[in-house]
Amino acid sequence: MPQARLQPIDIPVQGMTCASCVGRVERAIAAVPGVAAANVNLAAERAHVELTPEGDAAAVAAAIRKAGYEPLDRQVELKIVGMTCASCVSRVEEALRSVPGVLDAQVNLATERAQVRILGGADASALMAAVAAAGYQAETVDPADGTDLAEREHAAREGEIKALKTSVAIAAAATLPLFLVEMGRHFIPGVHHWLAMSVGEQPWRLASFGLAALVLLGPGRRFFSKGVPTLLRRAPDMNSLVALGASAAFAYSAVATFAPALLPAGADHVYYEAAAVIVTLVLVGRLFEAQAKGRTGEAIKRLMTLQAKTARIVREGQEREVPIAEVVAGDIVVVRPGERLAVDGEVLDGASFVDESMITGEPVPIEKRPGDAVVGGTVNKSGAFRFRATKVGSQTMLAQIVRMVEAAQGSKLPIQALVDKVTGWFVPAVIAAALLTFAAWMILGPSPALAFALVNAVAVLIIACPCA
């Protein structure tokens, strides 16, 4: 398949937490018919996918969801001009659905509106180009459409950080008394005796059960909701390790609390603090990770703020302000003092000085006269001029710089590709090692063998989890 025929799309993916998630998403996408290549970046939370003409963006999104993650999509509303009958509707819908990244398209003849659901990284300007190629005209109804994805990603990330902060606070509040008392009993003389005399062993176990259950069923529920399904699909991830380790410690402790007769003599120990500390530490790690992710996209976000949202163009002898997505090559763009240039072009008439520091780093404004080239994103100073648009949309210099930064963030070193392959085997191998550890201690360990077997098997699961 020639490279020129491949259709690239970028998909924001929510829910990835580690390298094994990256490998799982990449394998899920690669298994979709029509996918030529898939590259997933954990820090940027994006999947770069190259589709052949037979590829289907909706199938890619469905594969990501089936793998347990969430691809971000958005709704775009277009005004369609030139439709006259039902066959026009079908033709426009077919043109829209052929655009890479389009999940669904519904066109209404009476209102002359098209509701298009596209993947987050898809370009809305490509929709209008497809409609134009089908013989109709399209324009965006919402001028803010171009910023919708960035806003949604920012909102989703802020929501994730806020939820994690709440979860960490609840988990820490419930874990701290467990940790302090249990560690005090082991390392501070007299604490064990004081606790037995003032509170009592069984009441403290019941209180510990309640605190640990709060941590696991509240903040820790996210590990079970993601880890258990992947475990049942025989594709365990890091969430599975945390869920197994915490639930094993909690379940054993619950048996020791409510039915100690089921355990061998001397084996009725409780490990509530271990289950709670596991979840709390991993949640703290997830919070740090989410905050770090939020900073990785700041460079691109700052670049995107340099782009003008609208442009003043001359059409049919009149000036009118239109969304930047509607500017086409050849349009005459009017620039007033203090305005940001919308697209790249060539000055036709007028003169001014333009601040091009965002491109060249030179703080002194550059004089522009007829025939000079201007760059979108730069700022006009005192004068006014008109220029002919030569590069628009994804062809502008600013758009190319953004793509280069995104490509740099999304690229992988060869060692990263090796790591992604290793993680596919790592989690199953750890679970197998934990089972083998449990069996070895049960068969060869000292009495009480069950307690030693459980503690060491859980230790293997937890130590192997790098998220902690």
Side-chain angles (χ1 to χ4, degrees):
M1 184 64 62
Q3 186 70 19
R5 297 180 62 187
L6 297 180
Q7 302 170 326
I9 57 173
D10 289 299
I11 309 170
V13 181
Q14 298 290 320
M16 298 186 296
T17 57
C18 57
S20 63
C21 297
V22 171
R24 184 169 291 104
V25 174
E26 285 186 345
R27 288 192 297 273
I29 296 174
V32 176
V35 172
N39 186 12
V40 179
N41 184 276
L42 176 62
E45 294 184 302
R46 283 181 179 268
H48 179 77
V49 184
E50 294 186 353
L51 297 175
T52 65
E54 296 77 25
D56 183 9
V60 173
I64 295 174
R65 286 193 179 94
K66 187 176 180 181
Y69 305 90
E70 186 61 30
L72 279 183
D73 58 62
R74 57 184 171 133
Q75 194 83 9
V76 176
E77 185 175 359
L78 300 176
K79 176 177 175 58
I80 311 296
V81 179
M83 298 187 298
T84 58
C85 59
S87 63
C88 296
V89 171
S90 299
R91 192 172 294 113
V92 173
E93 287 183 347
E94 183 179 352
L96 290 171
R97 288 170 180 161
S98 67
V99 176
V102 171
L103 301 177
D104 189 28
Q106 301 292 332
V107 178
N108 188 302
L109 178 62
T111 61
E112 294 187 316
R113 291 287 195 271
Q115 301 290 339
V116 189
R117 192 161 61 92
I118 64 177
L119 289 171
D123 187 2
S125 62
L127 302 176
M128 292 183 285
V131 173
Y136 305 90
Q137 294 180 358
E139 59 184 34
T140 55
V141 174
D142 181 11
D145 174 70
T147 62
D148 179 63
L149 174 62
E151 291 174 354
R152 287 190 59 202
E153 286 186 320
H154 179 73
R157 189 173 293 114
E158 288 299 314
E160 180 187 9
I161 293 175
K162 184 178 180 180
L164 280 169
K165 285 182 177 178
T166 302
S167 296
V168 168
I170 295 173
T175 301
L176 189 60
L178 285 173
F179 178 79
L180 292 177
V181 170
E182 292 301 328
M183 292 302 100
R185 294 172 67 175
H186 286 86
F187 297 105
I188 302 177
V191 171
H192 182 85
H193 178 73
W194 170 83
L195 184 68
M197 296 299 295
S198 60
V199 179
E201 184 65 28
Q202 188 63 14
W204 172 245
R205 288 191 174 191
L206 294 175
S208 300
F209 173 84
L211 291 172
L214 174 63
V215 174
L216 267 64
L217 299 179
R221 186 173 54 191
R222 67 184 66 216
F223 301 114
F224 294 89
S225 63
K226 292 183 178 181
V228 173
T230 58
L231 191 62
L232 295 177
R233 290 197 297 265
R234 289 183 292 182
D237 62 0
M238 294 301 174
N239 293 296
S240 304
L241 286 184
V242 177
L244 282 174
S247 58
F250 182 81
Y252 183 91
S253 301
V255 172
T257 300
F258 298 103
L262 298 178
L263 300 175
D268 59 336
H269 303 292
V270 293
Y271 304 96
Y272 291 119
E273 85 287 352
V277 168
I278 288 166
V279 171
T280 303
L281 285 180
V282 178
L283 283 173
V284 171
R286 292 282 171 88
L287 175 59
F288 290 160
E289 180 184 39
Q291 291 173 331
K293 284 180 182 178
R295 290 190 290 267
T296 60
E298 287 302 311
I300 293 178
K301 184 179 177 181
R302 286 193 293 269
L303 283 173
M304 293 303 293
T305 60
L306 299 175
Q307 187 175 48
K309 301 298 184 292
T310 61
R312 187 176 292 104
I313 63 174
V314 178
R315 285 184 183 170
E316 300 176 355
Q318 293 186 346
E319 290 186 15
R320 61 171 175 162
E321 192 167 340
V322 300
I324 190 173
E326 295 183 20
V327 180
V328 298
D331 275 340
I332 306 301
V333 183
V334 180
V335 184
R336 296 175 180 176
E339 290 184 338
R340 190 177 294 276
L341 278 65
V343 294
D344 298 359
E346 181 181 336
V347 178
L348 294 177
D349 54 63
S352 183
F353 286 84
V354 177
D355 181 0
E356 295 186 339
S357 58
M358 55 86 67
I359 298 294
T360 64
E362 174 58 53
V364 179
I366 307 299
E367 185 179 10
K368 297 295 180 181
R369 294 185 176 277
D372 291 341
V374 290
V375 178
T378 56
V379 179
N380 182 34
K381 290 300 185 179
S382 57
F385 61 91
R386 300 193 308 166
F387 71 92
R388 177 180 288 108
T390 56
K391 294 181 179 180
V392 300
S394 61
Q395 300 303 313
T396 64
M397 182 177 295
L398 180 59
Q400 292 178 32
I401 292 173
V402 171
R403 283 201 302 272
M404 290 172 65
V405 175
E406 288 178 334
Q409 286 189 339
S411 61
K412 288 186 178 182
L413 295 172
I415 190 64
Q416 287 179 282
L418 177 61
V419 168
D420 291 344
K421 292 180 180 179
V422 170
T423 55
W425 295 95
F426 176 73
V427 178
V430 168
I431 294 175
L435 293 174
L436 182 62
T437 300
F438 183 85
W441 277 90
M442 282 295 293
I443 297 172
L444 305 174
S447 181
L450 181 61
F452 284 115
L454 178 69
V455 170
N456 288 285
V458 171
V460 172
L461 293 175
I462 302 311
I463 292 172
C465 179
C467 300

